[in-house]
Amino acid sequence: MKLELGNFYVKDIVFGDKTKYENGILTVDKEDCLAFVKRDPHITEADLRIVKPGDMVRLVPVKEAVECRVKVNGDALFPGYTGPLSQAGDGRTHCLKDMSLLAVGSHWGGFQDGLIDMGGEGAKYTYFSKLKNLVLVADTDEEFEKREQQKKNRAIREAVHKLAEYIGSCVKDMEPEEVESYELEPVIRRAPETEKLPSVVYVMQPQSQMEEMGYNDLCYGWDCNHMLPTFMNPNEVLDGAMISGSFMPCSSKWATYDFQNCPVIKRLYKEHGKTLNFLGVIMSNLNVALEQKERSALFVAQIAKSLGADAALVTEEGYGNPDADFTGCIVALEDAGVKTVGLTNECTGRDGKSDPLVSMDEKEDAIVSTGNVSELVELPPMPEVIGELEALARDGLSGGWAGDEILGPSVRPDGSIIMENNAMFCGDQIIGWSTKTVREF
């Protein structure tokens, strides 16, 4: 399985009369793209905006981020979701780099939505402030969700996934500026010099806790709540097999953009054949019942041992209840003789003094932390807000609140805000983007 990612580096985004890419400039036909989005009758209003690094703009409630791409052979960008099932991770995919397509609610948000500041002090908290962003701002007629804290956001999310492919099609027949190639030999047919290196497997635990369909991450369009741990070629993850779900406090989420550009996978590829033997990805899940958690941990350990893994890297999407899956998986791997490192954020309370994980074990002796979800973030007013600032306080965003006896409301009369890091869009960057470092006091 060989994946070629043909990259087109976007230097600027502008609106024009035709969607095209030329000399580093992505021109977007705004009216045409909005007409495409509004083919879904549940989209009641929609607009497109452009924001760039350094712009003094605040976006909230942010629901999703996707990289605009197109499969050169005509297959669906997200097989089983935006089109018929096909094999992801093989062939040529063209990608518009250094930008993302964001989905923002124009009127209401929910527990799983977040905030991005493109400029000022808040820009340092999320990777997406470093990208040029085309922003779909939309509302729907899904009135049944409006007062619910948990929202599926079906229409907005599906619209942004399909629009990413629609825009990406402008480079389908062009020659890319750079081609990245990703190919792993079959596990049992590798060069002797590679097989002598430590064998490493990457265990991903995407969000799949919601038993009602429509909230969880998707694998080839299939709700991950239905899954048992599965061995996957890493190319599949990079090439649209995985789609982010709508559930999970926002700083802990993996956006679809993160799956498409997973830094951990790319780094393991870079080291393959040099310092390690990259076996592939075990795509696990996150569960609610203890027996389900134990079952998944056993499956992960068995697959890792069957592959001949010497070591594993385990990462979870979320915190709290998923910590039990995270811990159980690491313990099962260690018990199977697989040396394991964990990658996660932690929930240590606003004062930083609480236990970092809900569930811990002495065998978890190598954990990389990407930050505290409960850390308080205070930001000044922003000259422009895209979306609706009040959603942060009103609609149950995991890091916002309508009122607090000590701190007051998250959104103050002057437009300044105080919130938990929880509400920063993909703020803890657990997928591997994080630039946070430890400070000693």
Side-chain angles (χ1 to χ4, degrees), residues 14-211:
V14 298
F15 289 126
D17 58 6
K18 182 181 180 181
T19 298
K20 61 182 180 179
Y21 176 85
E22 188 174 13
N23 297 324
I25 308 300
L26 175 64
T27 302
V28 177
D29 184 336
K30 182 176 181 177
E31 296 308 314
D32 177 66
C33 287
L34 290 176
F36 175 81
V37 166
K38 290 178 180 178
R39 290 179 187 177
D40 185 339
H42 294 289
I43 300 289
T44 55
E45 61 179 75
D47 192 15
L48 283 174
R49 301 287 302 275
I50 296 168
V51 295
K52 303 169 188 176
D55 286 352
M56 298 303 286
V57 177
R58 177 165 292 156
L59 300 99
V60 62
V62 185
K63 301 176 180 294
E64 172 66 303
V66 191
E67 185 167 86
C68 297
R69 295 181 170 189
V70 64
K71 293 290 289 183
V72 173
N73 68 359
D75 287 348
L77 179 58
F78 300 110
Y81 180 73
T82 58
L85 275 170
S86 59
Q87 180 66 64
D90 199 26
R92 174 75 72 90
T93 298
H94 284 177
C95 318
L96 291 167
K97 307 300 292 184
D98 293 340
M99 67 159 291
S100 80
L101 177 63
L102 300 176
V104 174
S106 56
H107 293 301
W108 48 273
F111 176 76
Q112 64 289 317
D113 295 337
L115 177 145
I116 296 173
D117 273 4
M118 294 300 298
E121 174 68 12
K124 71 182 182 183
Y125 287 99
T126 174
Y127 175 81
F128 292 92
S129 66
K130 300 175 177 64
L131 300 174
K132 305 162 198 73
N133 294 301
L134 182 64
V135 186
L136 173 64
V137 191
D139 197 11
T140 79
D141 65 1
E142 296 164 313
E143 295 292 326
F144 63 93
E145 286 193 326
K146 185 167 289 189
R147 304 300 175 193
E148 297 293 328
Q149 188 180 32
Q150 293 289 355
K151 297 176 175 67
K152 297 180 181 179
N153 291 317
R154 197 282 311 164
I156 293 177
R157 292 176 55 79
E158 190 171 314
V160 79
H161 292 125
K162 290 181 175 178
L163 183 59
E165 186 172 17
Y166 190 69
I167 292 172
S169 65
C170 73
V171 294
K172 180 179 179 181
D173 300 320
M174 297 178 64
E175 189 62 31
E177 296 150 28
E178 175 192 60
V179 176
E180 299 176 43
S181 293
Y182 296 95
E183 184 176 17
L184 284 180
E185 314 92 319
V187 173
I188 62 170
R189 297 177 183 173
R190 296 188 174 174
E193 55 270 24
T194 299
E195 291 185 347
K196 291 177 183 178
L197 297 169
S199 295
V200 179
V201 68
Y202 180 31
V203 182
M204 303 180 74
Q205 295 180 311
Q207 187 51 237
S208 56
Q209 288 181 283
M210 297 294 280
E211 294 179 344

Side-chain angles (χ1 to χ4, degrees), residues 421-435:
N421 175 51
N422 252 321
M424 193 64 67
F425 184 75
C426 298
D428 290 328
Q429 303 164 326
I430 306 171
I431 203 74
W433 300 113
S434 184
T435 58

Side-chain angles (χ1 to χ4, degrees), residues 81 151-152 157 161 206-219 221-227 242-248 253 259 285-288 317:
Y81 180 73
K151 297 176 175 67
K152 297 180 181 179
R157 292 176 55 79
H161 292 125
Q207 187 51 237
S208 56
Q209 288 181 283
M210 297 294 280
E211 294 179 344
E212 182 179 340
M213 300 300 96
Y215 295 99
N216 299 308
D217 291 2
L218 302 178
C219 180
W222 184 251
D223 194 296
C224 287
N225 181 264
H226 294 314
M227 289 181 60
M242 300 299 301
I243 293 179
S244 172
S246 67
F247 173 68
M248 184 41 59
K253 286 173 68 69
F259 282 118
N285 53 359
L286 296 171
N287 305 281
V288 177
E317 183 185 10

Side-chain angles (χ1 to χ4, degrees), residues 400-413:
W401 54 85
D404 183 278
E405 291 183 0
I406 299 174
L407 301 173
S410 276
V411 179
R412 297 160 174 157

